[in-house]
């Protein structure tokens, strides 16, 4: 969900109601969004459900290199549950690395896009 649809949903689809976007997949589970702040221009930042899922944002051309905060990278996901382990799975998703916040003291992702091509 991008900022444009987020704004439309809050203002036109469900005005006055709580609207909580989520992101997830079968490997990650559901990631929670940063609490809504109109000053953020409706941008959404998601934080993965640690310790079940840990993400790194890596350089698509060099997956060994982690990108800096605010830089765009490809999601490298590590999943660890009692039943399943998947270390360092390079997803097709590209996004910006977001800094930790008080509610979620680990890296998040924002400005999410899905790519259809691999860089490796």
């Amino acid at each position: 969900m991008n900022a444009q649809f987020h704004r439309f949903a809050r203002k036109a689809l469900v005005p006055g109601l709580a609207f909580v976007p989520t992101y997830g997949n079968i490997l990650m589970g559901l990631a929670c969004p940063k609490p809504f702040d109109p000053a953020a221009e409706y941008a959404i930042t998601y934080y993965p459900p640690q310790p079940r899922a840990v993400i790194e944002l890596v350089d698509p051309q060099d997956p060994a290199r982690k990108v800096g905060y605010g830089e765009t990278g490809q999601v490298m996901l590590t999943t660890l549950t009692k039943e399943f382990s998947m270390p360092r799975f390079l997803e097709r998703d590209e996004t910006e690395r977001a800094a930790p916040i008080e509610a979620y003291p680990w890296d998040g992702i924002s400005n999410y896009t899905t790519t259809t091509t691999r860089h490796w």
Side-chain angles (χ1 to χ4, degrees):
M1 177 181 313
N2 62 22
Q4 181 181 2
F5 183 80
H6 186 206
R7 180 182 296 109
F8 171 72
R10 283 189 175 269
K11 290 185 173 188
L13 296 180
V14 292
L17 296 178
F19 181 79
V20 182
T22 57
Y23 164 78
N25 59 38
I26 199 85
L27 292 176
M28 178 184 290
L30 286 178
C32 295
K34 178 179 180 180
F36 177 65
D37 178 6
E41 299 292 319
Y42 294 86
I44 305 167
T45 301
Y46 298 107
Y47 291 89
Q50 284 199 3
R52 171 188 168 56
V54 176
I55 59 166
E56 292 178 276
L57 271 290
V58 298
D59 181 340
Q61 303 301 319
D62 179 11
R65 186 184 78 79
K66 204 171 181 177
V67 301
Y69 291 114
E71 292 182 13
T72 298
Q74 199 162 353
V75 176
M76 179 81 72
L77 173 67
T78 296
T79 301
L80 181 61
T81 68
K82 189 168 64 172
E83 301 85 12
F84 181 73
S85 174
M86 174 66 75
R88 299 185 52 80
F89 177 74
L90 189 61
E91 293 195 327
R92 65 182 181 180
D93 307 335
E94 289 187 355
T95 183
E96 290 177 13
R97 183 176 173 201
I101 60 172
E102 186 176 338
Y104 306 106
W106 50 83
D107 284 358
I109 58 174
S110 62
N111 294 322
Y112 165 88
T113 58
T114 298
T115 60
T116 55
T117 58
R118 292 283 188 180
H119 298 282
W120 41 270

